[in-house]
Amino acid sequence: MMTKVLLVDDDRELGEMLTEYLDQEGFAATAVQDGETGVRAALSGAYAIVVLDVMMPGCNGIEALRRIRAQDRRLPVLMLTARGDDVDRIVGLELGADDYVPKPCTPRELVARIRAILRRTQVQEPDGASCGPLTAGALTLWPERRSLEWQGQPLELTSTEFNLLEVLVRNAGRVVSKQELSQQALGRPLARYDRGIDVHLSSIRHKLGLDAEGRSPIQTVRGLGYQLVRE
C-alpha cells in the first residue's frame, strides 16, 4: 500500500502541485486548505505523516500542531515555514514538530525530507538483530516497538525525540556530535545555524527531569555535542 501523506496549506495551487508530485513519487497525497480540517484529518489515523504550513488564516499551523500533539505524540509532522522565520520554526519544534522545510521549497526537497522522517519512524530491525531492549541507567528503550520507560514508567516522546534518544542510548557514555545526531535521527546533514537538534533535546531533557543530584542525564559537551550519562 502507498504511504498516505496529508498536506495542510491554504495555497490551493501549491497544494495541487505538491499533491501531484507526491503521487508521482509513489505516495498517496491528500491536500486540505484549512487548519480545522487538517487537524480532524490528521487525528483520523489515516495518514503516515502530515505536512503542515505555518501561515494559514483561522487555525494556523502552530495552533493545528498544538491540537494534534495534544492527542497524538507520535504522528510525524513536517512544518512548512517562511524562510528566515526562526520564531515560528522554534515554536513549532518546541510543540513537537519533527522537522521543518523553509518556503519556498522544491517538491524534490520536500519529498526527500518526508522520506527521511519515514525511514526513521518506520525503521525495521535488520535480519539477525536482537529485538531486546536498549538500556542506559534508568532508561529502557525498545527500538522495534518504538517505546521506552524512564525510571520504570512509560515516557511519551514525539517520533523525532525518540530517534534522537535512541542514538544517544546506543552511544551512552560517548559524546555524539550534532552532525551525527542530525544524520542518524533526522536523516539529513546538519544545516548551518540549525537549532532543531538543540530544541528537540531541550524537550527531551524537560520530560526526563533531573536526577537526585539535580543533573540532567543528557549532558552538553561544549563545542563537541551531547552525551547520555551511563549510570
Side-chain angles (χ1 to χ4, degrees), residues 6-17 19 30-38 52-53 55-60:
L6 176 64
L7 176 64
V8 187
D9 195 315
D10 65 322
D11 187 333
R12 187 177 297 273
E13 183 177 347
L14 175 63
E16 291 175 352
M17 184 266 288
T19 297
T30 300
V32 299
Q33 283 75 49
D34 66 275
E36 293 284 351
T37 304
L52 184 60
D53 184 35
M55 298 298 294
M56 292 186 292
C59 178
N60 63 28

